[in-house]
Amino acid sequence: MNFEQQINDDLKEAMKSVDKLKLETLRSLRASIIEFSKNGTGKELAEEDAQKILLNAAKKRKDAIEMYQQAGRQDLLEKEQAELAIIASYLPEQLTEEQVLTVLRGLISQLGAEGPKDMGKVMGVAMKELRGKADGTLVQQCLKSLLQG
């Protein structure tokens, strides 16, 4: 079953079970899918495109969570965390920090990176390899610690 069909089926299920939070979250994902399909390229929604939509939605929720933590808005914070959990259920399982470090060590030796000045060179390759498998912020923090240490 493709991503779009999965979202539509889960949307119907959320309507039947009157799960307002899930319904709202899935509607926002569906809106992103519709926006993608109407962008004029005539391109079908591929797995990579679906991942981009999910990662973008997850990033928005993470940013909102951070802002609500700073503002002390626990009610809104919990809502965003719940939405993030729903979105994360559609993403592939994320790598642990140790797994990210292992991948980065291999890339550093492969590319011959020697210090912080090579951060951009390694980061570009790392994000291509780890896209959808690890959070970009985690990858950046791990890479920074490896290249400085």
Side-chain angles (χ1 to χ4, degrees), residues 56-94:
N56 190 17
K59 183 171 178 8
K60 286 179 184 175
R61 297 323 187 278
K62 287 176 186 175
D63 291 346
I65 287 169
E66 193 175 301
M67 287 186 341
Y68 292 144
Q69 279 177 332
Q70 292 172 358
R73 293 293 308 264
Q74 194 63 30
D75 55 332
L76 297 173
L77 174 74
E78 290 169 1
K79 179 181 180 282
E80 293 293 330
Q81 287 173 331
E83 286 184 10
L84 180 59
I86 292 167
I87 293 167
S89 70
Y90 293 97
L91 285 168
E93 191 171 324
Q94 300 291 293

Side-chain angles (χ1 to χ4, degrees), residues 37-140:
S37 65
K38 296 201 184 243
N39 69 2
T41 61
K43 196 170 111 175
E44 285 288 319
L45 183 71
E47 184 69 30
E48 185 177 304
D49 299 319
Q51 254 188 5
K52 284 181 185 176
I53 289 171
L54 288 168
L55 290 171
N56 190 17
K59 183 171 178 8
K60 286 179 184 175
R61 297 323 187 278
K62 287 176 186 175
D63 291 346
I65 287 169
E66 193 175 301
M67 287 186 341
Y68 292 144
Q69 279 177 332
Q70 292 172 358
R73 293 293 308 264
Q74 194 63 30
D75 55 332
L76 297 173
L77 174 74
E78 290 169 1
K79 179 181 180 282
E80 293 293 330
Q81 287 173 331
E83 286 184 10
L84 180 59
I86 292 167
I87 293 167
S89 70
Y90 293 97
L91 285 168
E93 191 171 324
Q94 300 291 293
L95 296 176
T96 64
E97 185 174 346
E98 193 55 48
Q99 291 170 320
V100 170
L101 285 168
T102 304
V103 170
L104 290 175
R105 285 185 190 107
L107 288 175
I108 288 171
S109 65
Q110 180 184 356
L111 296 171
E114 297 173 357
K117 65 180 176 18
D118 295 322
M119 178 99 172
K121 179 169 70 172
V122 179
M123 190 68 179
V125 176
M127 286 314 297
K128 284 181 184 171
E129 191 167 319
L130 296 172
R131 174 160 278 125
K133 299 177 192 169
D135 182 48
T137 307
L138 175 65
V139 174
Q140 183 181 20

